[in-house]
């Protein structure tokens, strides 16, 4: 999708070196896979020429599916064969989902990816007076056009609340009150039902991951502070990326953002420091030392939220250079 910055290439090399001598990772978490798809498709990068392209779901769908072609799963099959994108105002989406369901059949689980519209616990009353049962219900944005229903065991609501508290909290609010959007990736077994001449698709979720993103750019954010920085960078027409972790361990020096339009062709790392507990400050010291040694004093950017919660330092100045993708995303 684009050429990685020098910082991102160094991170990739560091990840690879830390895996030497270790058993090969045979499994990636659901969130790790979502991060991988977002980065491989370039949806973690932003530059002003993208404009409003990220609000057009068919374009996002195609970019992510193109990235999924190069990710091999199972018995050597591309991930794209098992991935269905669900989104609002996508004329081709429902037919593509039905084709994917038919192709996966009973032998493969399917991956469903899209913006999450709601997450609730529902009670289902069995016909014939059977005992009621509770389920977790996840609804994708635009799912009505797909006749798609996603449910999971009732324990999933509390599990997701613990693992992704900001995402679940946002999904309990009215759409107009949400500051973030939530991207969901669901691994599910899936069936087509035909009742009274109507065809619907029912998915039983085996695993669910949620990722918070800026609503307009779909750039992932890990805190309200990162959301403010993302929106400020976009407001100043800056170009940047949001490096994602996949399943990297905490000992990788991992910037929150990388400015890609500065004088430094390697990219300029950006850190948003939001806490002041002892372990966090120790990690902050390691990062500061790394950036100072690699880029030089005052050659990278950071915001210490605890000392200055309402104002961050000025961003490093931009240098005009061609950005990848032209006027398309």
């Amino acid at each position: 999708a684009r050429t990685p910055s020098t910082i991102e290439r160094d991170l990739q090399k560091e990840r690879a070196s830390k895996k030497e001598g270790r058993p090969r990772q045979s499994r990636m978490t659901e969130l790790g896979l979502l991060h991988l798809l977002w980065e491989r498709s370039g949806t973690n990068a932003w530059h002003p020429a993208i404009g409003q392209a990220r609000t057009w779901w068919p374009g996002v769908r195609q970019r992510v599916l193109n990235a999924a072609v190069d990710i091999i799963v199972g018995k050597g099959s591309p991930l794209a064969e098992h991935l269905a994108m669900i989104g609002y105002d996508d004329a081709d989406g429902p037919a593509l989902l039905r084709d994917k369901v038919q192709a996966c059949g009973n032998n493969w689980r399917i991956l469903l990816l899209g913006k999450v519209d709601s997450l609730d616990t529902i009670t289902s009353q069995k016909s014939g007076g059977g005992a009621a049962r509770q389920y977790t219900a996840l609804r994708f944005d635009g799912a009505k056009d797909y006749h798609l229903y996603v449910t999971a065991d009732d324990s999933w609501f509390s599990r997701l609340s613990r693992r992704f508290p900001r995402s679940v909290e946002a999904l309990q609010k009215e759409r107009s009150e949400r500051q973030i959007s939530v991207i969901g990736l669901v691994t599910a077994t899936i069936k087509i039902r035909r009742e009274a001449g109507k065809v619907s698709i029912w998915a039983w979720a085996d695993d669910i991951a949620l990722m918070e993103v800026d609503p307009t750019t779909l750039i992932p954010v890990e805190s309200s502070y990162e959301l403010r920085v993302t929106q400020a960078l976009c407001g100043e027409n800056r170009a940047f990326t949001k490096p994602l972790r996949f399943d990297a361990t905490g000992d990788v020096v991992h910037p929150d953002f990388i400015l890609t339009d500065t004088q430094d062709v390697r990219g300029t790392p950006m850190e948003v420091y939001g806490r002041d507990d002892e372990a966090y400050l120790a990690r902050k010291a390691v990062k500061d030392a790394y950036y100072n040694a690699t880029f030089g004093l005052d050659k990278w950017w950071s915001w210490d939220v605890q000392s200055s919660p309402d104002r961050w330092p000025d961003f490093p100045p931009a240098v005009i250079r061609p950005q990848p993708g032209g006027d398309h995303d």
Side-chain angles (χ1 to χ4, degrees), residues 55-133:
T55 61
W56 186 57
W57 185 255
V60 176
R61 164 174 56 78
Q62 196 56 53
R63 288 174 65 85
V64 174
L65 287 175
N66 287 346
V69 169
D70 295 326
I71 300 174
I72 305 302
V73 298
K75 299 179 180 179
S77 60
L79 179 65
E81 293 182 3
H82 312 283
L83 177 63
M85 304 281 290
I86 314 300
Y88 177 73
D89 201 19
D90 186 349
D92 297 326
L96 291 172
L97 173 62
R98 290 193 296 271
D99 290 344
K100 200 80 64 171
V101 171
Q102 295 285 1
C104 290
N106 295 322
N107 298 321
W108 290 91
R109 290 184 297 175
I110 195 169
L111 285 165
L112 305 171
L113 192 158
K115 278 188 179 182
V116 181
D117 184 54
S118 65
L119 181 72
D120 300 293
T121 300
I122 61 173
T123 301
S124 175
Q125 182 72 44
K126 289 187 176 181
S127 59
R133 183 178 176 183

Side-chain angles (χ1 to χ4, degrees), residues 190-202:
I190 198 160
K191 291 184 179 180
I192 295 179
R193 293 186 182 178
R194 295 176 174 86
E195 297 178 353
K198 295 182 179 180
V199 177
S200 57
I201 298 173
W202 291 76

